[in-house]
Amino acid sequence: MAAGQDITILAADATGPDAQLLLDALSGALLRINGDSGRSSFDVEAATPRGGFYIARDGAGELLGCAALRPLDGVADSPVGELKRMYARPGSAGVGAALLAHVEAQARCFGYARLHLSTRVANRRAMAFYAKHGYAPVNAWGKYVGAAQSACLGKQL
């Protein structure tokens, strides 16, 4: 993506073909980095009124990345939102930051006080990206409790 090119981020159906292309690309990248695609941690069918799936595109409509938001641990009135399936295509500078800012804004609109996420410790790029954007270690939840390969991070909104 050329510097200064427009990025449009819109809510989308996570089961749609564009979403599936991005989710497949993310799963492939995670499998190469971590040895696990992460697919088991995201149910595209689990829509919630306090969340969504977002797709970033450039000015020509090309797919650049995606991210999802849902209540932490599936608790409908949770004060904590969970960032899931964050992905920016290689070479798409600025897309990750734009998606993260968009999801944080959506989380505020939905009334979340904090945003949490889990990534693999082995994914050094993701760890550095989230640290740069103010995310710090938080207590693990759900399936991440005791999972040494996972880093649970969070940020006050």
Side-chain angles (χ1 to χ4, degrees), residues 39-87:
R39 284 184 192 270
S40 65
S41 297
F42 181 67
D43 178 5
V44 295
E45 305 297 330
T48 171
R50 292 183 72 218
F53 186 83
Y54 308 98
I55 291 179
R57 296 177 186 275
D58 66 13
E62 292 296 316
L63 297 172
L64 298 176
C66 62
L69 172 66
R70 68 181 185 189
L72 189 73
D73 270 346
V75 179
D77 61 350
S78 175
V80 182
E82 184 180 14
L83 174 67
K84 300 295 295 179
R85 307 314 279 170
M86 174 82 164
Y87 174 69

mmCIF file of all heavy atoms in Angstrom, residues 39-87:
data_model
loop_
_atom_site.group_PDB
_atom_site.id
_atom_site.type_symbol
_atom_site.label_atom_id
_atom_site.label_comp_id
_atom_site.label_asym_id
_atom_site.label_seq_id
_atom_site.Cartn_x
_atom_site.Cartn_y
_atom_site.Cartn_z
ATOM 1 N N ARG A 39 -7.492 -20.866 14.821
ATOM 2 C CA ARG A 39 -8.893 -20.959 14.395
ATOM 3 C C ARG A 39 -9.830 -21.375 15.527
ATOM 4 O O ARG A 39 -10.979 -20.947 15.565
ATOM 5 C CB ARG A 39 -9.040 -21.960 13.251
ATOM 6 C CG ARG A 39 -8.580 -21.443 11.920
ATOM 7 C CD ARG A 39 -8.870 -22.494 10.839
ATOM 8 N NE ARG A 39 -8.216 -22.186 9.601
ATOM 9 C CZ ARG A 39 -8.750 -21.458 8.630
ATOM 10 N NH1 ARG A 39 -9.942 -20.944 8.778
ATOM 11 N NH2 ARG A 39 -8.090 -21.229 7.525
ATOM 12 N N SER A 40 -9.346 -22.194 16.437
ATOM 13 C CA SER A 40 -10.219 -22.695 17.503
ATOM 14 C C SER A 40 -10.618 -21.607 18.491
ATOM 15 O O SER A 40 -11.503 -21.801 19.305
ATOM 16 C CB SER A 40 -9.539 -23.843 18.243
ATOM 17 O OG SER A 40 -8.382 -23.361 18.926
ATOM 18 N N SER A 41 -9.973 -20.447 18.416
ATOM 19 C CA SER A 41 -10.253 -19.365 19.365
ATOM 20 C C SER A 41 -11.258 -18.347 18.853
ATOM 21 O O SER A 41 -11.515 -17.347 19.505
ATOM 22 C CB SER A 41 -8.950 -18.626 19.708
ATOM 23 O OG SER A 41 -8.056 -19.481 20.344
ATOM 24 N N PHE A 42 -11.825 -18.580 17.676
ATOM 25 C CA PHE A 42 -12.769 -17.613 17.121
ATOM 26 C C PHE A 42 -13.875 -18.334 16.388
ATOM 27 O O PHE A 42 -13.644 -19.044 15.435
ATOM 28 C CB PHE A 42 -12.053 -16.657 16.158
ATOM 29 C CG PHE A 42 -12.962 -15.612 15.561
ATOM 30 C CD1 PHE A 42 -13.515 -14.625 16.363
ATOM 31 C CD2 PHE A 42 -13.263 -15.631 14.217
ATOM 32 C CE1 PHE A 42 -14.359 -13.661 15.813
ATOM 33 C CE2 PHE A 42 -14.104 -14.665 13.660
ATOM 34 C CZ PHE A 42 -14.649 -13.682 14.466
ATOM 35 N N ASP A 43 -15.113 -18.116 16.858
ATOM 36 C CA ASP A 43 -16.290 -18.710 16.244
ATOM 37 C C ASP A 43 -16.996 -17.628 15.428
ATOM 38 O O ASP A 43 -17.606 -16.718 15.992
ATOM 39 C CB ASP A 43 -17.201 -19.254 17.340
ATOM 40 C CG ASP A 43 -18.478 -19.863 16.802
ATOM 41 O OD1 ASP A 43 -18.636 -19.954 15.565
ATOM 42 O OD2 ASP A 43 -19.334 -20.242 17.616
ATOM 43 N N VAL A 44 -16.898 -17.705 14.113
ATOM 44 C CA VAL A 44 -17.478 -16.665 13.257
ATOM 45 C C VAL A 44 -18.996 -16.611 13.368
ATOM 46 O O VAL A 44 -19.603 -15.606 13.024
ATOM 47 C CB VAL A 44 -17.079 -16.820 11.764
ATOM 48 C CG1 VAL A 44 -15.596 -16.626 11.585
ATOM 49 C CG2 VAL A 44 -17.544 -18.128 11.194
ATOM 50 N N GLU A 45 -19.600 -17.667 13.863
ATOM 51 C CA GLU A 45 -21.053 -17.692 13.978
ATOM 52 C C GLU A 45 -21.550 -16.933 15.210
ATOM 53 O O GLU A 45 -22.720 -16.611 15.310
ATOM 54 C CB GLU A 45 -21.550 -19.149 14.063
ATOM 55 C CG GLU A 45 -21.093 -20.040 12.935
ATOM 56 C CD GLU A 45 -21.621 -19.606 11.579
ATOM 57 O OE1 GLU A 45 -22.717 -19.021 11.525
ATOM 58 O OE2 GLU A 45 -20.943 -19.843 10.582
ATOM 59 N N ALA A 46 -20.666 -16.673 16.154
ATOM 60 C CA ALA A 46 -21.072 -16.092 17.436
ATOM 61 C C ALA A 46 -21.183 -14.572 17.358
ATOM 62 O O ALA A 46 -20.363 -13.852 17.886
ATOM 63 C CB ALA A 46 -20.086 -16.503 18.527
ATOM 64 N N ALA A 47 -22.209 -14.089 16.677
ATOM 65 C CA ALA A 47 -22.437 -12.649 16.568
ATOM 66 C C ALA A 47 -22.951 -12.127 17.909
ATOM 67 O O ALA A 47 -23.625 -12.836 18.645
ATOM 68 C CB ALA A 47 -23.444 -12.365 15.470
ATOM 69 N N THR A 48 -22.641 -10.898 18.213
ATOM 70 C CA THR A 48 -23.079 -10.283 19.458
ATOM 71 C C THR A 48 -23.432 -8.827 19.191
ATOM 72 O O THR A 48 -22.824 -8.179 18.344
ATOM 73 C CB THR A 48 -21.969 -10.365 20.530
ATOM 74 O OG1 THR A 48 -22.360 -9.568 21.645
ATOM 75 C CG2 THR A 48 -20.637 -9.882 20.019
ATOM 76 N N PRO A 49 -24.421 -8.301 19.926
ATOM 77 C CA PRO A 49 -24.744 -6.890 19.743
ATOM 78 C C PRO A 49 -23.629 -5.958 20.239
ATOM 79 O O PRO A 49 -23.593 -4.802 19.864
ATOM 80 C CB PRO A 49 -26.021 -6.681 20.557
ATOM 81 C CG PRO A 49 -26.259 -7.925 21.309
ATOM 82 C CD PRO A 49 -25.341 -8.982 20.802
ATOM 83 N N ARG A 50 -22.704 -6.448 21.048
ATOM 84 C CA ARG A 50 -21.599 -5.621 21.561
ATOM 85 C C ARG A 50 -20.276 -6.009 20.919
ATOM 86 O O ARG A 50 -19.246 -6.073 21.559
ATOM 87 C CB ARG A 50 -21.498 -5.760 23.076
ATOM 88 C CG ARG A 50 -22.689 -5.127 23.791
ATOM 89 C CD ARG A 50 -22.540 -5.197 25.287
ATOM 90 N NE ARG A 50 -21.520 -4.272 25.745
ATOM 91 C CZ ARG A 50 -20.668 -4.545 26.724
ATOM 92 N NH1 ARG A 50 -20.685 -5.702 27.343
ATOM 93 N NH2 ARG A 50 -19.781 -3.639 27.096
ATOM 94 N N GLY A 51 -20.313 -6.254 19.643
ATOM 95 C CA GLY A 51 -19.090 -6.623 18.939
ATOM 96 C C GLY A 51 -19.284 -6.534 17.457
ATOM 97 O O GLY A 51 -20.298 -6.042 16.972
ATOM 98 N N GLY A 52 -18.286 -7.025 16.744
ATOM 99 C CA GLY A 52 -18.389 -7.005 15.295
ATOM 100 C C GLY A 52 -17.123 -7.514 14.650
ATOM 101 O O GLY A 52 -16.122 -7.785 15.315
ATOM 102 N N PHE A 53 -17.196 -7.660 13.354
ATOM 103 C CA PHE A 53 -16.064 -8.068 12.538
ATOM 104 C C PHE A 53 -15.837 -6.931 11.550
ATOM 105 O O PHE A 53 -16.787 -6.446 10.928
ATOM 106 C CB PHE A 53 -16.360 -9.379 11.805
ATOM 107 C CG PHE A 53 -15.174 -9.915 11.073
ATOM 108 C CD1 PHE A 53 -14.218 -10.666 11.745
ATOM 109 C CD2 PHE A 53 -14.990 -9.655 9.723
ATOM 110 C CE1 PHE A 53 -13.107 -11.162 11.072
ATOM 111 C CE2 PHE A 53 -13.878 -10.146 9.046
ATOM 112 C CZ PHE A 53 -12.940 -10.893 9.729
ATOM 113 N N TYR A 54 -14.589 -6.504 11.430
ATOM 114 C CA TYR A 54 -14.270 -5.315 10.640
ATOM 115 C C TYR A 54 -13.231 -5.645 9.575
ATOM 116 O O TYR A 54 -12.263 -6.360 9.839
ATOM 117 C CB TYR A 54 -13.749 -4.209 11.561
ATOM 118 C CG TYR A 54 -14.695 -3.970 12.713
ATOM 119 C CD1 TYR A 54 -14.464 -4.544 13.954
ATOM 120 C CD2 TYR A 54 -15.855 -3.218 12.540
ATOM 121 C CE1 TYR A 54 -15.355 -4.364 15.008
ATOM 122 C CE2 TYR A 54 -16.748 -3.029 13.577
ATOM 123 C CZ TYR A 54 -16.492 -3.612 14.812
ATOM 124 O OH TYR A 54 -17.385 -3.441 15.843
ATOM 125 N N ILE A 55 -13.443 -5.101 8.386
ATOM 126 C CA ILE A 55 -12.538 -5.314 7.266
ATOM 127 C C ILE A 55 -11.988 -3.968 6.798
ATOM 128 O O ILE A 55 -12.742 -3.001 6.634
ATOM 129 C CB ILE A 55 -13.243 -6.027 6.095
ATOM 130 C CG1 ILE A 55 -13.563 -7.469 6.489
ATOM 131 C CG2 ILE A 55 -12.376 -5.996 4.830
ATOM 132 C CD1 ILE A 55 -14.286 -8.264 5.413
ATOM 133 N N ALA A 56 -10.672 -3.916 6.598
ATOM 134 C CA ALA A 56 -10.001 -2.722 6.068
ATOM 135 C C ALA A 56 -9.737 -2.936 4.580
ATOM 136 O O ALA A 56 -9.318 -4.016 4.162
ATOM 137 C CB ALA A 56 -8.683 -2.488 6.804
ATOM 138 N N ARG A 57 -9.988 -1.868 3.814
ATOM 139 C CA ARG A 57 -9.740 -1.876 2.371
ATOM 140 C C ARG A 57 -9.006 -0.596 1.989
ATOM 141 O O ARG A 57 -9.132 0.417 2.655
ATOM 142 C CB ARG A 57 -11.052 -1.920 1.586
ATOM 143 C CG ARG A 57 -11.873 -3.160 1.793
ATOM 144 C CD ARG A 57 -13.195 -3.027 1.006
ATOM 145 N NE ARG A 57 -14.091 -4.118 1.282
ATOM 146 C CZ ARG A 57 -14.064 -5.295 0.667
ATOM 147 N NH1 ARG A 57 -13.181 -5.518 -0.279
ATOM 148 N NH2 ARG A 57 -14.909 -6.251 0.980
ATOM 149 N N ASP A 58 -8.300 -0.665 0.859
ATOM 150 C CA ASP A 58 -7.671 0.549 0.339
ATOM 151 C C ASP A 58 -8.669 1.254 -0.576
ATOM 152 O O ASP A 58 -9.814 0.802 -0.746
ATOM 153 C CB ASP A 58 -6.345 0.246 -0.361
ATOM 154 C CG ASP A 58 -6.486 -0.577 -1.642
ATOM 155 O OD1 ASP A 58 -7.620 -0.734 -2.172
ATOM 156 O OD2 ASP A 58 -5.451 -1.055 -2.131
ATOM 157 N N GLY A 59 -8.249 2.375 -1.150
ATOM 158 C CA GLY A 59 -9.120 3.174 -2.002
ATOM 159 C C GLY A 59 -9.649 2.434 -3.207
ATOM 160 O O GLY A 59 -10.707 2.778 -3.743
ATOM 161 N N ALA A 60 -8.920 1.412 -3.655
ATOM 162 C CA ALA A 60 -9.362 0.623 -4.810
ATOM 163 C C ALA A 60 -10.241 -0.562 -4.395
ATOM 164 O O ALA A 60 -10.647 -1.360 -5.226
ATOM 165 C CB ALA A 60 -8.140 0.114 -5.578
ATOM 166 N N GLY A 61 -10.492 -0.692 -3.089
ATOM 167 C CA GLY A 61 -11.332 -1.785 -2.611
ATOM 168 C C GLY A 61 -10.587 -3.064 -2.278
ATOM 169 O O GLY A 61 -11.207 -4.071 -1.931
ATOM 170 N N GLU A 62 -9.247 -3.040 -2.391
ATOM 171 C CA GLU A 62 -8.458 -4.239 -2.085
ATOM 172 C C GLU A 62 -8.488 -4.534 -0.589
ATOM 173 O O GLU A 62 -8.397 -3.623 0.238
ATOM 174 C CB GLU A 62 -7.008 -4.057 -2.535
ATOM 175 C CG GLU A 62 -6.840 -3.986 -4.035
ATOM 176 C CD GLU A 62 -7.237 -5.272 -4.746
ATOM 177 O OE1 GLU A 62 -6.874 -6.366 -4.267
ATOM 178 O OE2 GLU A 62 -7.926 -5.172 -5.769
ATOM 179 N N LEU A 63 -8.594 -5.815 -0.261
ATOM 180 C CA LEU A 63 -8.610 -6.242 1.141
ATOM 181 C C LEU A 63 -7.242 -6.022 1.773
ATOM 182 O O LEU A 63 -6.223 -6.433 1.224
ATOM 183 C CB LEU A 63 -8.965 -7.723 1.237
ATOM 184 C CG LEU A 63 -10.350 -8.117 0.737
ATOM 185 C CD1 LEU A 63 -10.482 -9.633 0.704
ATOM 186 C CD2 LEU A 63 -11.424 -7.495 1.604
ATOM 187 N N LEU A 64 -7.221 -5.355 2.943
ATOM 188 C CA LEU A 64 -5.962 -5.068 3.627
ATOM 189 C C LEU A 64 -5.826 -5.776 4.962
ATOM 190 O O LEU A 64 -4.717 -6.064 5.407
ATOM 191 C CB LEU A 64 -5.834 -3.563 3.864
ATOM 192 C CG LEU A 64 -5.791 -2.689 2.636
ATOM 193 C CD1 LEU A 64 -5.773 -1.224 3.042
ATOM 194 C CD2 LEU A 64 -4.592 -3.033 1.769
ATOM 195 N N GLY A 65 -6.941 -6.026 5.638
ATOM 196 C CA GLY A 65 -6.850 -6.655 6.952
ATOM 197 C C GLY A 65 -8.199 -6.758 7.619
ATOM 198 O O GLY A 65 -9.225 -6.349 7.061
ATOM 199 N N CYS A 66 -8.175 -7.324 8.834
ATOM 200 C CA CYS A 66 -9.419 -7.533 9.566
ATOM 201 C C CYS A 66 -9.158 -7.561 11.069
ATOM 202 O O CYS A 66 -8.012 -7.715 11.511
ATOM 203 C CB CYS A 66 -10.096 -8.827 9.134
ATOM 204 S SG CYS A 66 -9.121 -10.332 9.463
ATOM 205 N N ALA A 67 -10.224 -7.447 11.821
ATOM 206 C CA ALA A 67 -10.181 -7.559 13.277
ATOM 207 C C ALA A 67 -11.600 -7.805 13.756
ATOM 208 O O ALA A 67 -12.568 -7.451 13.085
ATOM 209 C CB ALA A 67 -9.624 -6.291 13.912
ATOM 210 N N ALA A 68 -11.708 -8.419 14.936
ATOM 211 C CA ALA A 68 -13.016 -8.693 15.520
ATOM 212 C C ALA A 68 -13.038 -8.213 16.970
ATOM 213 O O ALA A 68 -11.999 -8.130 17.631
ATOM 214 C CB ALA A 68 -13.323 -10.189 15.452
ATOM 215 N N LEU A 69 -14.232 -7.908 17.439
ATOM 216 C CA LEU A 69 -14.461 -7.474 18.807
ATOM 217 C C LEU A 69 -15.627 -8.272 19.361
ATOM 218 O O LEU A 69 -16.629 -8.472 18.663
ATOM 219 C CB LEU A 69 -14.806 -5.968 18.821
ATOM 220 C CG LEU A 69 -15.255 -5.370 20.148
ATOM 221 C CD1 LEU A 69 -14.128 -5.398 21.173
ATOM 222 C CD2 LEU A 69 -15.759 -3.942 19.934
ATOM 223 N N ARG A 70 -15.472 -8.704 20.606
ATOM 224 C CA ARG A 70 -16.564 -9.404 21.284
ATOM 225 C C ARG A 70 -16.399 -9.188 22.790
ATOM 226 O O ARG A 70 -15.326 -8.786 23.249
ATOM 227 C CB ARG A 70 -16.557 -10.889 20.945
ATOM 228 C CG ARG A 70 -15.363 -11.637 21.525
ATOM 229 C CD ARG A 70 -15.396 -13.091 21.139
ATOM 230 N NE ARG A 70 -14.319 -13.827 21.789
ATOM 231 C CZ ARG A 70 -14.010 -15.074 21.508
ATOM 232 N NH1 ARG A 70 -14.682 -15.729 20.592
ATOM 233 N NH2 ARG A 70 -13.035 -15.681 22.132
ATOM 234 N N PRO A 71 -17.452 -9.476 23.578
ATOM 235 C CA PRO A 71 -17.297 -9.383 25.033
ATOM 236 C C PRO A 71 -16.335 -10.474 25.511
ATOM 237 O O PRO A 71 -16.353 -11.594 24.997
ATOM 238 C CB PRO A 71 -18.696 -9.639 25.579
ATOM 239 C CG PRO A 71 -19.621 -9.650 24.415
ATOM 240 C CD PRO A 71 -18.799 -9.854 23.184
ATOM 241 N N LEU A 72 -15.500 -10.134 26.480
ATOM 242 C CA LEU A 72 -14.548 -11.105 27.019
ATOM 243 C C LEU A 72 -15.286 -12.293 27.610
ATOM 244 O O LEU A 72 -16.263 -12.128 28.349
ATOM 245 C CB LEU A 72 -13.677 -10.452 28.088
ATOM 246 C CG LEU A 72 -12.511 -11.306 28.574
ATOM 247 C CD1 LEU A 72 -11.422 -11.388 27.507
ATOM 248 C CD2 LEU A 72 -11.929 -10.743 29.854
ATOM 249 N N ASP A 73 -14.830 -13.484 27.284
ATOM 250 C CA ASP A 73 -15.410 -14.745 27.784
ATOM 251 C C ASP A 73 -16.881 -14.919 27.418
ATOM 252 O O ASP A 73 -17.588 -15.690 28.057
ATOM 253 C CB ASP A 73 -15.232 -14.872 29.300
ATOM 254 C CG ASP A 73 -13.934 -15.571 29.680
ATOM 255 O OD1 ASP A 73 -13.304 -16.181 28.796
ATOM 256 O OD2 ASP A 73 -13.555 -15.505 30.869
ATOM 257 N N GLY A 74 -17.361 -14.169 26.419
ATOM 258 C CA GLY A 74 -18.737 -14.325 25.976
ATOM 259 C C GLY A 74 -19.778 -13.799 26.949
ATOM 260 O O GLY A 74 -20.967 -14.060 26.786
ATOM 261 N N VAL A 75 -19.355 -13.061 27.974
ATOM 262 C CA VAL A 75 -20.288 -12.503 28.957
ATOM 263 C C VAL A 75 -20.889 -11.225 28.371
ATOM 264 O O VAL A 75 -20.177 -10.232 28.198
ATOM 265 C CB VAL A 75 -19.570 -12.211 30.301
ATOM 266 C CG1 VAL A 75 -20.527 -11.605 31.302
ATOM 267 C CG2 VAL A 75 -18.931 -13.485 30.847
ATOM 268 N N ALA A 76 -22.183 -11.247 28.060
ATOM 269 C CA ALA A 76 -22.828 -10.166 27.313
ATOM 270 C C ALA A 76 -22.599 -8.782 27.910
ATOM 271 O O ALA A 76 -22.368 -7.821 27.184
ATOM 272 C CB ALA A 76 -24.322 -10.440 27.185
ATOM 273 N N ASP A 77 -22.645 -8.658 29.237
ATOM 274 C CA ASP A 77 -22.509 -7.335 29.855
ATOM 275 C C ASP A 77 -21.110 -7.087 30.411
ATOM 276 O O ASP A 77 -20.910 -6.208 31.253
ATOM 277 C CB ASP A 77 -23.561 -7.140 30.949
ATOM 278 C CG ASP A 77 -23.432 -8.154 32.082
ATOM 279 O OD1 ASP A 77 -22.647 -9.123 31.943
ATOM 280 O OD2 ASP A 77 -24.115 -7.981 33.103
ATOM 281 N N SER A 78 -20.130 -7.812 29.917
ATOM 282 C CA SER A 78 -18.756 -7.655 30.386
ATOM 283 C C SER A 78 -18.275 -6.217 30.199
ATOM 284 O O SER A 78 -18.543 -5.607 29.164
ATOM 285 C CB SER A 78 -17.824 -8.595 29.625
ATOM 286 O OG SER A 78 -16.474 -8.360 30.002
ATOM 287 N N PRO A 79 -17.532 -5.673 31.189
ATOM 288 C CA PRO A 79 -16.936 -4.357 30.999
ATOM 289 C C PRO A 79 -15.668 -4.416 30.141
ATOM 290 O O PRO A 79 -15.084 -3.390 29.815
ATOM 291 C CB PRO A 79 -16.606 -3.912 32.427
ATOM 292 C CG PRO A 79 -16.372 -5.196 33.159
ATOM 293 C CD PRO A 79 -17.297 -6.203 32.531
ATOM 294 N N VAL A 80 -15.272 -5.642 29.775
ATOM 295 C CA VAL A 80 -14.043 -5.846 29.009
ATOM 296 C C VAL A 80 -14.378 -6.448 27.650
ATOM 297 O O VAL A 80 -15.045 -7.473 27.552
ATOM 298 C CB VAL A 80 -13.059 -6.785 29.764
ATOM 299 C CG1 VAL A 80 -11.775 -6.955 28.971
ATOM 300 C CG2 VAL A 80 -12.775 -6.253 31.161
ATOM 301 N N GLY A 81 -13.892 -5.790 26.602
ATOM 302 C CA GLY A 81 -14.023 -6.325 25.259
ATOM 303 C C GLY A 81 -12.781 -7.133 24.923
ATOM 304 O O GLY A 81 -11.710 -6.932 25.518
ATOM 305 N N GLU A 82 -12.923 -8.049 23.985
ATOM 306 C CA GLU A 82 -11.786 -8.869 23.560
ATOM 307 C C GLU A 82 -11.535 -8.646 22.068
ATOM 308 O O GLU A 82 -12.454 -8.763 21.255
ATOM 309 C CB GLU A 82 -12.061 -10.346 23.831
ATOM 310 C CG GLU A 82 -10.883 -11.234 23.491
ATOM 311 C CD GLU A 82 -11.142 -12.725 23.760
ATOM 312 O OE1 GLU A 82 -12.314 -13.102 23.956
ATOM 313 O OE2 GLU A 82 -10.171 -13.492 23.760
ATOM 314 N N LEU A 83 -10.299 -8.315 21.753
ATOM 315 C CA LEU A 83 -9.868 -8.172 20.365
ATOM 316 C C LEU A 83 -9.487 -9.550 19.849
ATOM 317 O O LEU A 83 -8.705 -10.264 20.491
ATOM 318 C CB LEU A 83 -8.663 -7.233 20.294
ATOM 319 C CG LEU A 83 -7.982 -7.085 18.928
ATOM 320 C CD1 LEU A 83 -8.909 -6.383 17.945
ATOM 321 C CD2 LEU A 83 -6.690 -6.303 19.081
ATOM 322 N N LYS A 84 -10.031 -9.929 18.701
ATOM 323 C CA LYS A 84 -9.759 -11.231 18.113
ATOM 324 C C LYS A 84 -9.390 -11.072 16.641
ATOM 325 O O LYS A 84 -9.777 -10.108 15.992
ATOM 326 C CB LYS A 84 -11.006 -12.138 18.189
ATOM 327 C CG LYS A 84 -11.514 -12.423 19.574
ATOM 328 C CD LYS A 84 -10.567 -13.211 20.434
ATOM 329 C CE LYS A 84 -10.315 -14.605 19.931
ATOM 330 N NZ LYS A 84 -9.377 -15.359 20.755
ATOM 331 N N ARG A 85 -8.680 -12.038 16.120
ATOM 332 C CA ARG A 85 -8.380 -12.198 14.685
ATOM 333 C C ARG A 85 -7.893 -10.916 14.005
ATOM 334 O O ARG A 85 -8.301 -10.572 12.899
ATOM 335 C CB ARG A 85 -9.577 -12.780 13.940
ATOM 336 C CG ARG A 85 -10.138 -14.068 14.518
ATOM 337 C CD ARG A 85 -9.088 -15.098 14.864
ATOM 338 N NE ARG A 85 -8.657 -15.848 13.692
ATOM 339 C CZ ARG A 85 -7.621 -16.673 13.692
ATOM 340 N NH1 ARG A 85 -6.905 -16.839 14.770
ATOM 341 N NH2 ARG A 85 -7.281 -17.314 12.607
ATOM 342 N N MET A 86 -6.986 -10.224 14.685
ATOM 343 C CA MET A 86 -6.381 -9.007 14.140
ATOM 344 C C MET A 86 -5.352 -9.407 13.086
ATOM 345 O O MET A 86 -4.474 -10.226 13.352
ATOM 346 C CB MET A 86 -5.710 -8.255 15.294
ATOM 347 C CG MET A 86 -4.937 -7.067 14.881
ATOM 348 S SD MET A 86 -6.014 -5.678 14.656
ATOM 349 C CE MET A 86 -4.783 -4.425 14.664
ATOM 350 N N TYR A 87 -5.479 -8.829 11.890
ATOM 351 C CA TYR A 87 -4.582 -9.196 10.799
ATOM 352 C C TYR A 87 -4.448 -8.043 9.819
ATOM 353 O O TYR A 87 -5.442 -7.409 9.447
ATOM 354 C CB TYR A 87 -5.132 -10.416 10.053
ATOM 355 C CG TYR A 87 -4.350 -10.799 8.824
ATOM 356 C CD1 TYR A 87 -3.064 -11.317 8.931
ATOM 357 C CD2 TYR A 87 -4.899 -10.654 7.557
ATOM 358 C CE1 TYR A 87 -2.335 -11.676 7.798
ATOM 359 C CE2 TYR A 87 -4.181 -11.022 6.423
ATOM 360 C CZ TYR A 87 -2.907 -11.520 6.550
ATOM 361 O OH TYR A 87 -2.185 -11.877 5.433
#
